[in-house]
């Protein structure tokens, strides 16, 4: 694009939404925009989008775009590179398997029920996230809401909690907890492999000093509100003459906020900061419309990892019951309404709005499912589609398009 064409887009914001391993599509699409000269001055991110944003913010321009994709190609190539089973769960599993009678040996496909059970539990999180035909984000929002609801009804006189607090029920829970200690279990998975690799690859000092203003979205568990942290927050600003300990403390605080944005609860543990618990904002706010239009940018590019499908929007009681268990159906419908809201704000405020989303998700890409073949397929398909998109960019500007029905 010529400088004249680029200038009309003014200050540009990239909105990196979540989607687990499907965010590799987002990384490739955003890189094509940067390669065409559309460089963001602001980035908003949550969940897996925060993983992508790190590289774009650290090295603005084509260098950062290439690094974001290289992280996927070289390091995020399998579920094992993202998470491990949480140590607490591993401990309880070992104790559970240790009390299984020896009589069961010789049973099962492998000749040992113990061995088969260990394998099954190892892949239990994948079975939960991929086998169920229920939108995972909706499930996450439901879990978060129910927990907050139970905290709200803390009084003994509320009927909602009366049954749970009955002496017989509490006694049964206490007996189970003596062995399993469920109250201590904070998550099923530990994202240590991914977080440690990002810590090695990303220079946080460069991220803090970046000319790009980065807004990191999290959800505060206690009240469900969306909280926005930034690489320009005053409490992490580096001042001249600071010693190494002070710099390390600020880097640690900033990385904790990054972790909070990626804390996909209840799979991953929430992050505690200043007496509050924070989790992945993408669970409850998968398209942050209000935040995207609050920073005065002239153009907003939203990178969604939800396929561009036709969605039946109007409610229908009988079909709704069937579609409740249809993969991503509820999430697609919610995203549809959020895009309508974004278009309305773009028209009202005179902001250029582009929503970039895949036509389909290649096999081998899911919430926590990824393989190198899927990454190579994305690298082959997405650049060509983005080149066609950029060749007629104005045609995709929702600011001028007819209102979404």
């Amino acid at each position: 694009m010529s400088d004249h064409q680029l200038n009309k887009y003014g200050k540009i914001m990239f909105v990196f939404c979540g989607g687990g391993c499907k965010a590799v599509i987002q990384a490739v699409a955003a890189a094509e925009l940067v390669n065409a000269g559309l460089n963001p001055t602001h980035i908003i991110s949550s969940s897996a989008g925060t993983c992508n944003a790190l590289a774009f913010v650290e090295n603005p321009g084509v260098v950062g775009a290439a690094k974001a994709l290289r992280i996927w190609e070289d390091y995020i190539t399998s579920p094992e590179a993202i998470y491990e089973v949480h140590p607490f769960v591993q401990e309880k599993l070992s104790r559970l398997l240790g009390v299984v009678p020896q009589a069961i040996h010789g049973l099962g496909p492998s000749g040992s029920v113990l061995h088969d059970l260990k394998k099954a539990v190892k892949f239990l999180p994948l079975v939960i996230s991929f086998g169920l035909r229920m939108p995972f984000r909706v499930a996450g929002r439901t879990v978060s809401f129910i927990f907050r609801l139970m905290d709200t009804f803390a009084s003994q006189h509320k009927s909602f909690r009366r049954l749970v607090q009955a002496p017989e029920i509490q006694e049964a829970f206490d007996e189970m907890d003596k062995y399993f200690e469920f109250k201590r279990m904070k998550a099923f998975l530990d994202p240590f492999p991914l977080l440690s690799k990002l810590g090695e690859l990303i220079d946080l000092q460069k991220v803090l000093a970046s000319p790009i203003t980065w807004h990191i979205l999290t959800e505060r568990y206690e009240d469900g509100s969306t909280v926005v942290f930034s690489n320009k927050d005053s409490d992490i600003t580096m001042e001249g003459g600071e010693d190494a300990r002070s710099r390390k403390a600020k880097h640690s605080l900033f990385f904790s906020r990054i972790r909070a944005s990626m804390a996909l609860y209840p799979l991953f543990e929430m992050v505690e900061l200043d007496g509050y618990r924070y989790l992945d904002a993408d669970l409850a706010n998968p398209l942050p419309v209000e935040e995207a239009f609050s920073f005065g940018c002239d153009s907003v590019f939203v990178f969604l990892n939800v396929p561009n499908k036709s969605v039946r929007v109007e409610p229908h009681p009988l079909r709704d019951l069937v579609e409740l268990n249809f993969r991503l159906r509820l999430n697609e419908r919610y995203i549809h309404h959020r895009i309508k809201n974004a278009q309305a704000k773009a028209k009202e405020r005179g902001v250029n709005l582009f929503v970039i989303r895949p036509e389909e998700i290649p096999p081998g890409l899911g919430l926590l499912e990824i393989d190198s073949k899927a990454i190579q397929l994305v690298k082959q398909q997405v650049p060509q589609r983005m080149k066609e998109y950029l060749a007629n960019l104005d045609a995709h500007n929702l600011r001028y398009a007819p209102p979404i029905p």
Side-chain angles (χ1 to χ4, degrees):
M1 289 187 182
S2 67
D3 290 341
H4 174 71
Q5 289 175 308
L6 293 174
N7 288 338
K8 68 180 181 180
Y9 296 109
K11 291 194 300 182
I12 294 174
M13 169 177 284
F14 281 3
V15 180
F16 287 151
C17 300
C21 293
K22 292 174 287 186
V24 64
I25 303 173
Q26 173 189 101
V28 178
E32 290 300 317
L33 261 66
V34 170
N35 292 337
L38 292 164
N39 293 293
T41 59
H42 290 68
I43 291 179
I44 286 181
S45 72
S46 64
S47 194
T50 292
C51 179
N52 282 333
L54 272 166
F56 281 86
V57 178
E58 180 196 35
N59 294 290
V62 296
V63 174
K67 184 172 184 177
L69 183 55
R70 191 164 63 250
I71 289 174
W72 287 98
E73 291 180 301
D74 296 343
Y75 303 107
I76 312 178
T77 56
S78 68
E80 291 77 14
I82 303 170
Y83 68 87
E84 299 170 346
V85 176
H86 198 284
F88 182 84
V89 178
Q90 290 181 349
E91 175 193 347
K92 295 307 162 188
L93 174 62
S94 300
R95 291 179 61 185
L96 174 64
L97 297 178
V99 300
V100 177
Q102 294 294 315
I104 66 173
H105 282 279
L107 304 176
S110 70
S112 169
V113 172
L114 284 175
H115 178 74
D116 295 332
L117 182 58
K118 287 180 180 179
K119 289 179 63 178
V121 173
K122 179 180 179 181
F123 294 101
L124 180 61
L126 289 178
V127 174
I128 293 174
S129 58
F130 304 127
L132 299 179
R133 299 180 65 81
M134 175 73 182
F136 192 82
R137 289 177 185 159
V138 174
R141 289 199 298 271
T142 303
V143 170
S144 180
F145 172 75
I146 290 176
F147 287 166
R148 290 200 302 271
L149 187 64
M150 293 185 70
D151 288 342
T152 301
F153 291 109
S155 170
Q156 292 268 351
H157 303 289
K158 299 292 185 180
S159 59
F160 184 80
R161 272 207 163 191
R162 189 172 299 165
L163 176 62
V164 178
Q165 293 174 335
E168 296 81 5
I169 300 297
Q170 286 296 313
E171 183 179 349
F173 282 167
D174 290 341
E175 286 299 318
M176 294 178 62
D177 196 58
K178 286 179 183 178
Y179 183 80
F180 293 107
E181 297 180 283
F182 287 128
K183 295 176 183 177
R184 286 179 49 209
M185 188 169 69
K186 298 181 179 180
F188 292 102
L189 306 178
D190 182 359
F192 174 78
L194 175 60
L195 294 175
S196 63
K197 183 56 65 176
L198 291 177
E200 294 173 9
L201 297 173
I202 301 296
D203 185 342
L204 288 183
Q205 185 55 43
K206 292 177 67 175
V207 174
L208 292 173
S210 174
I212 296 178
T213 301
W214 181 20
H215 311 280
I216 307 167
L217 267 59
T218 65
E219 178 187 343
R220 188 161 53 210
Y221 171 81
E222 278 70 20
D223 57 12
S225 61
T226 298
V227 178
V228 184
F229 295 113
S230 172
N231 63 334
K232 306 301 180 185
D233 286 339
S234 59
D235 58 350
I236 56 174
T237 300
M238 294 295 174
E239 300 174 358
E242 287 184 310
D243 58 22
R245 178 178 296 180
S246 177
R247 289 196 300 270
K248 183 177 180 180
K250 290 184 177 181
H251 287 175
S252 178
L253 174 60
F254 184 54
F255 197 65
S256 294
R257 292 170 178 176
I258 293 171
R259 284 176 47 221
S261 181
M262 301 168 64
L264 183 63
Y265 184 75
L267 287 185
F268 299 140
E269 189 174 327
M270 288 185 281
V271 176
E272 296 188 16
L273 295 167
D274 299 325
Y276 293 100
R277 289 167 290 179
Y278 294 89
L279 63 150
D280 185 335
D282 197 65
L283 294 170
N285 193 5
L287 204 169
V289 174
E290 290 73 19
E291 292 78 10
F293 287 90
S294 65
F295 296 106
C297 291
D298 303 295
S299 300
V300 175
F301 289 84
V302 179
F303 296 88
L304 278 173
N305 298 303
V306 179
N308 188 16
K309 298 179 181 179
S310 58
V311 180
R312 182 180 60 79
V313 178
E314 295 302 321
H316 187 285
L318 294 179
R319 292 179 65 182
D320 285 348
L321 289 175
V322 176
E323 291 180 352
L324 183 64
N325 290 322
F326 187 82
R327 183 186 173 98
L328 293 178
R329 174 62 69 187
L330 295 180
N331 196 49
E332 288 174 3
R333 191 178 300 174
Y334 180 70
I335 289 292
H336 178 86
H337 285 292
R338 295 296 282 169
I339 293 176
K340 286 177 62 176
N341 293 341
Q343 185 189 40
K345 286 187 177 294
K347 290 179 177 292
E348 174 188 343
R349 303 187 183 189
V351 174
N352 301 307
L353 174 64
F354 304 88
V355 178
I356 300 171
R357 54 196 306 192
E359 294 295 327
E360 60 182 4
I361 303 297
L365 280 184
L367 184 67
L368 296 175
E369 178 188 14
I370 190 170
D371 59 57
S372 57
K373 292 181 180 178
I375 296 175
Q376 293 306 314
L377 186 62
V378 169
K379 283 185 61 182
Q380 294 170 8
Q381 295 179 349
V382 175
Q384 181 58 40
R385 188 169 66 86
M386 288 305 299
K387 285 181 172 60
E388 296 171 359
Y389 186 94
L390 288 165
N392 194 13
L393 185 59
D394 287 340
H396 300 282
N397 193 340
L398 292 183
R399 172 186 174 186
Y400 300 111
I404 298 173

